Amino acid sequence: MLSSASLEWTDLDRKAVDVVRALAMDAVEKAGNGHPGTAMSLAPAAYLLFQRVLRHDPSDPTWVGRDRFVLSAGHSSLTLYIQLYLSGYGLTLDDLKGLRQWGSLTPGHPEYGHTIGVETTTGPLGQGLGNAVGMAMAARRERGLFDPDAAPGTSPFDHMIWCIASEGDIEEGISHEVSSIAGHQKLGNLAVIFDSNHISIEDDTQIALSEDIVKRYEAYGWHVQEVDWTVTGEYHEDVQALYAAMEAARAETDRPSFIRLRTVIGWPAPKKRNTGKIHGSALGADEVAATKKLLGMDPEKSFDVSDEILTHVRQVVERGRALRAEWDKGFQAWREGAAERVELFDRMRHRRLPDGWDKALPSFEIGTSVATRKASGEVLSALAPVLPELWGGSADLAESNNTTMKGEPSFIPDEYQTKEFPGNRYGRTLHFGIREHGMGAILNGIALHDGTRPYGGTFLVFSDYMRPSVRLAALMKLPVTYVWTHDSIGLGEDGPTHQPVEHLWALRAIPGLDVVRPADANETAAAWKTILDNNNRPAGLALTRQNVPVYEGTGDPDKVAKGGYVLRDASDGQPRVVLIGTGSEVQLAVEARDALEAQGIPTRVVSMPCVEWFRAQEPAYRQSVIPPSVPARVAVEAGIGLGWREFVGDDGEVLSLEHFGASAPYKTIFEQFGLTAERVVAAAKASL
Amino acid sequence: MLSSASLEWTDLDRKAVDVVRALAMDAVEKAGNGHPGTAMSLAPAAYLLFQRVLRHDPSDPTWVGRDRFVLSAGHSSLTLYIQLYLSGYGLTLDDLKGLRQWGSLTPGHPEYGHTIGVETTTGPLGQGLGNAVGMAMAARRERGLFDPDAAPGTSPFDHMIWCIASEGDIEEGISHEVSSIAGHQKLGNLAVIFDSNHISIEDDTQIALSEDIVKRYEAYGWHVQEVDWTVTGEYHEDVQALYAAMEAARAETDRPSFIRLRTVIGWPAPKKRNTGKIHGSALGADEVAATKKLLGMDPEKSFDVSDEILTHVRQVVERGRALRAEWDKGFQAWREGAAERVELFDRMRHRRLPDGWDKALPSFEIGTSVATRKASGEVLSALAPVLPELWGGSADLAESNNTTMKGEPSFIPDEYQTKEFPGNRYGRTLHFGIREHGMGAILNGIALHDGTRPYGGTFLVFSDYMRPSVRLAALMKLPVTYVWTHDSIGLGEDGPTHQPVEHLWALRAIPGLDVVRPADANETAAAWKTILDNNNRPAGLALTRQNVPVYEGTGDPDKVAKGGYVLRDASDGQPRVVLIGTGSEVQLAVEARDALEAQGIPTRVVSMPCVEWFRAQEPAYRQSVIPPSVPARVAVEAGIGLGWREFVGDDGEVLSLEHFGASAPYKTIFEQFGLTAERVVAAAKASL
């Protein structure tokens, strides 16, 4: 579709690139702070990408067939903003002047959902690289759903993911996890341009970095190329060589591509190039002027873009429309094919679930005893046929997390399938290996790419390993679901390193994340319903390892969706005490209620699977569940009590665990640490 | 000191190794669950290490001159426990029978401080590898403090760090960070035995792992060797080859060593070897019996260790005493040298600070305006000469975190020092690169090794990246200090990806971690005093980017050590309302107090730099600061309010930030998000 003929690179292009550098200096100078250096030295690369390489249509930033661009080096947001402005995405010179100011479209780091053309929020290093890997995986899965039989390169669902990464990105551990996965998955639709400028905030990276990065990426099985603009001794921005490498990356369809591009940061600023200062500070008026002079520009002018340049660069809009028009032919032809796939596509474009999908949800027999992780696994298997967009896996804990949909193939190159996990490149079960952080960033990338609904599992305690990615899912409002099992000391023998204690409240602390801890199997199924109905926020399920009783009254999705509800009311309907429990501790509350009622104390039990959902209810509902007129309240949860005071009030009691766990069979631990129905009863009496 | 002659390996050794395998099976069988597979197949390697390679003295587990052993693959705790039993560390057969039971010395994963001979708590994968790297760095730094001029290999402070790592360890991102640092630091005193068994919980690792691990470690600059026990097609436990590799690793002093040891997990269990099942489950009685038969053992017997075997293996105690005695000669000779170094050594052995050290703490002029991160930097520089044990650095944010002690050299191989950071191999300033997680695990390793006091810095928001290591520091009670700067939306223009909002409470959630957020420069100095006086728990300082006023009354270390204290009392000593603030928001409370007093409302301001320290005070003190008789209270903090209800009570108000931040100059953000003195005044009135 795109010509790979040799690149035409005119004087106007050269001038436009210099305009990019000047805009980067000017924007940071005006803000008084920011990151000009990389935006200056990457100007030729970014311009080349947006003008000649990326398949995109600035007049339709959400075009399904577009190549995705991820700026993993998010601090260099100007690298992206300036191209969005030049390419005609609607960003203006005024927006650039508003860099890093309140309410502007040009915040310090690119923010998804805030600025048109920004495909993901980046800044925390390494995350963008992981998002790009996720996008590349999603692209393959989506092609498998929509157009599996098309010859390579002929489907409207074939496109590339481009990523610019910095030294900071590849130093982060997450870069290892996601790059290893990308190599293993043979993501030929992924190309990373690694800006190797040997400068980070502590100046010369030699102080902390000497690994052979190229060799490392070869070890991951990537297609690796080097373009060194310093190789001659004179700095030469060899755009032709970079273009050739980019085209070779596109041509390589069986491996992800890594292009090491050696640049000099802040080029050509006479004094500050190649320094740590230009990475993260304004150049200062003198250096800006000196640089502009060097570029043959008027040092008196700032934010200066001539009509000639603008007209030249905006031709990319026409290029985009043409690409789009050509693509549309193939797309329309595809739409005339299998109706079921087209319907799925249209549905997924709007993240709309099929009518009645929830009828497939299983229910569990009251009175039996089932681990909620197991119930969750049955939910996933039951949903497999009705929700093709739902897919996921685990960070090497599939059987423990119950994340595998029964009978579904793994998402894996044929040659890597195993006896335990047969699969193919379009498969559904994800295998992240022991790489929780990478899993988190990849899930974000999958959710960002298009309408599939990804989930990923690990032990709740290891949510810590993926926390930076979870935070970004919340910030970006991505519908990612975490299946966090073994959610308390109920994990038992593996001991304190594996027992979450602080995690429930530490996760509830993240704005925009729903932490859902169902009481039993039916509440688990109902929770999945609400989680999947929500298409604009992440949720984490906290699920038991151990069996818990299946109660009457937990399976009403409308009640569960409210986050907290009356599971057992006082026998006379006039509670003297309210017991609030979550997850496996709801059974302690239920047992305690029976004891309290037997002692003549009317007692209500509230199951509160999701504090966030409950908080979102009207005060009237909340007060109907936890009446202000009943000050005697107890919250019980096998973890720290941190946030429960808000619910139980000054007169209430919190039965919690304020220290780390221990290694032993789980019943012993609950007993030894006093998480028992007797203690709930005692707390209830104390609060009366 | 140790012979590198060829290894003598008798029939008794072979039998002893089989006993190890049998004990591993028996212990897991008795517990009903656990991880037998690796303990079985690594039996020869672990036995070889403890019997012939490690320089250790089981009769003195804290011998300074010992080699350290780190089991990064902590799930295979039996690998360690069985050697501790056989070597005579005091662990008994009964202890092995108590595996994973309440109160036993043999919890599911090895726990530092719980079982003698366990050098670090492992289980969360990758952490042990990071600890080992930290120990190797600490060993070099300590040698530099105590004995810098001794020829290589001749100092009592020369020893090795040995580590066993698994596929899970090297898949984790943290392995990348710490291995890259280890290569860069040329840690010749570190050797990692990588147990490559191609099995993890999801069975064949091929489902998620195909990177060329050997090549990857070469890329990090490690000395890499391969020992493949499957190479002949028949499984042959070539102990001689492994021994040769270990000795070569010891001989290599300029690079860390990586020995890839190819094993078959669960060897020689006839049915379950080489399966995911044997990784993490009991074998079952039949398979145990079949394996014992294969080994020529009585399948009816369990926990069977003959006197002959025990006598044989316990010879290692004598070996240890002899090594120790020889070492003592050199050590005593060293003690007769420079008195100052000996005094430092003796002091550090007990983590005792020198008398009057705190006199070196700086004080700041009342009425000036200083960022608390800057004050912290001045504290560190002032302490440099009096506390040689104090050292640390940053994850590429030295200048932002103010973590560099003025004029101190970097800890770096000579060839990697830079213009900005001159240094040497015994230097003091650490450069972690953009590797927060690795930093966390390395700090733990440093603190575990001996008496130095390490600190490490990054932005508070990126505490998320290092959280799993912070948790382990708290679990192990290690005196590590985190310098977390840019501690709120006060960070300003970098925006929501860089602004902590949920982090203060999410960190306070971790049991055993002190989160310290000083109000001003003098409170910062006082906080450092308490932090360093505590030698058995980690602390994280949350410090401002922006300047904050220096108040009267913040510099009393005794008050600050209480965690919360009355900074300004009501003018008549009878407060009608109590305002509680932390960090930069104390100034809002002080301003609000002035306004409230002016309106005739007697108002007290409480500065609460550390909730944990405050909670540890007697109720009488706490009530004297926040009187129960004054229900009108306001807590103000630029982050989520989560835990403040506990302090303000039902009638109080919490002025907080329940959503993500934004990119803008910081004063604008505080204003726009309503974190102002006016809002504190309004909240105070509302609570009256």
Side-chain angles (χ1 to χ4, degrees), chain A residues 70 72 119-122 124-142 161 173-187 189-190 222 256 351 391-395 411 428-450 452-457 465-473 476 478-482, chain B residues 171 207-208 465:
Chain A
V70 173
S72 194
E119 301 272 9
T120 178
T121 298
T122 50
L125 289 164
Q127 300 290 335
L129 193 57
N131 297 161
V133 173
M135 290 177 184
M137 289 167 68
R140 191 168 89 203
R141 171 76 185 155
E142 290 162 23
I161 316 295
I174 189 174
S175 74
H176 161 59
E177 300 185 9
V178 301
S179 300
S180 185
I181 291 173
H184 186 66
Q185 287 287 353
K186 299 181 177 287
L187 300 176
N189 56 349
L190 172 66
W222 287 49
R351 295 195 185 286
W391 64 314
S394 165
F411 178 87
R428 192 166 188 179
T429 305
L430 288 163
H431 301 274
F432 294 99
I434 302 153
R435 306 183 184 101
E436 299 84 4
H437 200 179
M439 174 169 73
I442 286 172
L443 291 171
N444 289 351
I446 291 173
L448 284 161
H449 188 267
D450 247 315
T452 69
R453 298 290 298 267
Y455 62 86
Y465 271 73
M466 57 193 299
R467 194 171 164 94
S469 302
V470 174
R471 181 177 209 258
L472 282 164
M476 290 192 270
L478 300 178
V480 169
T481 307
Y482 310 105
Chain B
E171 288 183 32
I207 198 67
Y465 271 72

Side-chain angles (χ1 to χ4, degrees), chain A residues 34-38 75 197 199-201 265 275-281:
Chain A
H35 299 79
T38 304
H75 54 272
N197 62 32
I199 291 289
S200 60
I201 294 180
I265 192 171
T275 65
K277 293 286 168 213
I278 208 163
H279 169 100
S281 312

Side-chain angles (χ1 to χ4, degrees), chain A residues 221-421:
Chain A
W222 287 49
H223 164 232
V224 178
Q225 303 177 78
E226 296 197 63
V227 177
D228 186 348
W229 286 352
T230 69
V231 73
T232 62
E234 290 286 287
Y235 194 60
H236 169 52
E237 292 177 327
D238 186 347
V239 176
Q240 295 289 351
L242 180 59
Y243 181 70
M246 287 175 174
E247 288 303 306
R250 192 197 297 277
E252 168 67 60
T253 57
D254 203 36
R255 289 178 296 171
S257 277
F258 186 82
I259 302 171
R260 176 176 175 266
L261 175 64
R262 176 68 170 100
T263 63
V264 168
I265 192 171
W267 185 264
K271 287 194 183 143
K272 295 203 171 168
R273 70 184 185 222
N274 206 25
T275 65
K277 293 286 168 213
I278 208 163
H279 169 100
S281 312
L283 280 75
D286 290 352
E287 183 76 353
V288 171
T291 308
K292 285 184 181 169
K293 267 188 209 158
L294 210 66
L295 293 170
M297 293 174 155
D298 182 347
E300 300 295 310
K301 288 185 177 166
S302 62
F303 296 100
D304 181 33
V305 184
S306 69
D307 287 348
E308 186 190 21
I309 292 292
L310 203 60
T311 306
H312 177 67
V313 297
R314 287 281 165 85
Q315 292 176 48
V316 77
V317 177
E318 268 323 302
R319 170 184 176 274
R321 284 209 185 98
L323 286 169
R324 167 75 198 246
E326 195 184 330
W327 176 89
D328 254 333
K329 290 179 209 157
F331 181 64
Q332 291 308 329
W334 172 83
R335 286 194 75 93
E336 282 153 28
E340 202 180 327
R341 287 179 186 159
V342 175
E343 199 191 317
L344 177 63
F345 173 85
D346 290 341
R347 197 162 64 59
M348 279 174 54
R349 276 300 272 173
H350 299 96
R351 295 195 185 286
R352 206 178 59 230
L353 304 182
D355 292 341
W357 69 273
D358 54 319
K359 292 197 180 73
L361 286 167
S363 74
F364 299 85
E365 199 181 334
I366 292 159
T368 59
S369 192
V370 184
T372 55
R373 63 173 168 143
K374 187 160 175 296
S376 171
E378 292 193 26
V379 167
L380 290 172
S381 291
L383 294 179
V386 290
L387 296 183
E389 61 265 63
L390 187 63
W391 64 314
S394 165
D396 196 51
L397 289 168
E399 208 182 40
S400 300
N401 300 147
N402 297 78
T403 40
T404 309
M405 295 167 166
K406 225 168 278 173
E408 292 292 323
S410 289
F411 178 87
I412 194 85
D414 290 353
E415 59 269 45
Y416 292 138
Q417 60 185 321
T418 63
K419 216 177 65 187
E420 296 282 321
F421 292 105

Side-chain angles (χ1 to χ4, degrees), chain A residues 602-647:
Chain A
T603 304
R604 168 181 290 187
V605 173
V606 171
S607 178
M608 192 167 303
C610 181
V611 167
E612 293 79 15
W613 297 344
F614 186 70
R615 282 194 185 128
Q617 304 308 312
E618 294 295 324
Y621 175 77
R622 284 186 274 129
Q623 290 171 11
S624 77
V625 176
I626 306 177
S629 57
V630 184
R633 300 172 211 153
V634 179
V636 55
E637 188 171 74
I640 58 166
L642 193 55
W644 287 117
R645 181 62 57 195
E646 192 76 39
F647 296 91

Side-chain angles (χ1 to χ4, degrees), chain B residues 83-138:
Chain B
Q83 294 308 322
L84 291 178
Y85 157 59
L86 293 182
S87 309
Y89 275 84
L91 217 59
T92 65
L93 263 188
D94 278 344
D95 292 324
L96 296 182
K97 289 176 190 166
L99 182 74
R100 300 162 74 85
Q101 303 307 306
W102 181 262
S104 83
L105 290 174
T106 48
H109 293 82
E111 296 178 21
Y112 172 75
H114 182 81
T115 311
I116 286 171
V118 171
E119 301 272 9
T120 177
T121 298
T122 50
L125 288 165
Q127 299 291 335
L129 194 58
N131 298 161
V133 172
M135 289 178 185
M137 290 168 67

Side-chain angles (χ1 to χ4, degrees), chain A residues 384-617:
Chain A
V386 290
L387 296 183
E389 61 265 63
L390 187 63
W391 64 314
S394 165
D396 196 51
L397 289 168
E399 208 182 40
S400 300
N401 300 147
N402 297 78
T403 40
T404 309
M405 295 167 166
K406 225 168 278 173
E408 292 292 323
S410 289
F411 178 87
I412 194 85
D414 290 353
E415 59 269 45
Y416 292 138
Q417 60 185 321
T418 63
K419 216 177 65 187
E420 296 282 321
F421 292 105
N424 60 69
R425 49 189 279 107
Y426 294 142
R428 192 166 188 179
T429 305
L430 288 163
H431 301 274
F432 294 99
I434 302 153
R435 306 183 184 101
E436 299 84 4
H437 200 179
M439 174 169 73
I442 286 172
L443 291 171
N444 289 351
I446 291 173
L448 284 161
H449 188 267
D450 247 315
T452 69
R453 298 290 298 267
Y455 62 86
T458 184
F459 288 161
L460 178 58
V461 79
F462 299 131
S463 63
D464 278 353
Y465 271 73
M466 57 193 299
R467 194 171 164 94
S469 302
V470 174
R471 181 177 209 258
L472 282 164
L475 185 57
M476 290 192 270
K477 306 181 196 296
L478 300 178
V480 169
T481 307
Y482 310 105
V483 180
W484 288 319
T485 71
H486 298 60
D487 71 346
S488 76
I489 48 171
L491 170 142
E493 291 86 347
D494 274 343
T497 56
H498 283 53
Q499 289 163 355
V501 168
E502 71 276 28
H503 296 75
L504 291 167
W505 277 114
L507 288 164
R508 288 175 186 138
I510 299 177
L513 173 70
D514 297 336
V515 179
V516 190
R517 189 167 187 250
D520 70 2
N522 285 323
E523 208 175 89
T524 304
W528 265 111
K529 172 168 162 35
T530 300
I531 289 170
L532 291 170
D533 277 339
N534 289 339
N535 62 12
N536 61 354
R537 49 194 294 125
L541 279 159
L543 302 172
T544 66
R545 173 197 188 202
Q546 73 273 27
N547 285 345
V548 288
V550 180
Y551 286 111
E552 185 157 4
T554 53
D556 181 342
D558 293 337
K559 283 188 178 175
V560 174
K562 292 196 157 61
Y565 62 97
V566 179
L567 174 63
R568 294 276 181 278
D569 206 354
S571 50
D572 62 355
Q574 302 289 326
R576 283 189 57 208
V577 59
V578 175
L579 311 179
I580 306 166
T582 81
S584 48
E585 286 71 68
V586 168
Q587 64 181 296
L588 301 185
V590 169
E591 286 171 34
R593 172 186 174 275
D594 293 348
L596 287 161
E597 289 273 352
Q599 294 171 42
I601 302 169
T603 304
R604 168 181 290 187
V605 173
V606 171
S607 178
M608 192 167 303
C610 181
V611 167
E612 293 79 15
W613 297 344
F614 186 70
R615 282 194 185 128
Q617 304 308 312

Side-chain angles (χ1 to χ4, degrees), chain B residues 23-76:
Chain B
L23 288 174
M25 291 189 291
D26 290 342
V28 174
E29 208 62 23
K30 183 155 195 308
N33 52 64
H35 299 79
T38 304
M40 293 170 69
S41 41
L42 276 186
Y47 180 86
L48 174 64
L49 259 175
F50 274 77
Q51 289 281 319
R52 309 292 159 81
V53 177
L54 269 188
R55 183 166 72 179
H56 65 137
D57 177 2
S59 64
D60 183 3
T62 63
W63 171 28
V64 171
R66 74 192 183 281
D67 285 354
R68 268 56 164 187
F69 172 71
V70 173
L71 181 73
S72 195
H75 54 273
S76 187

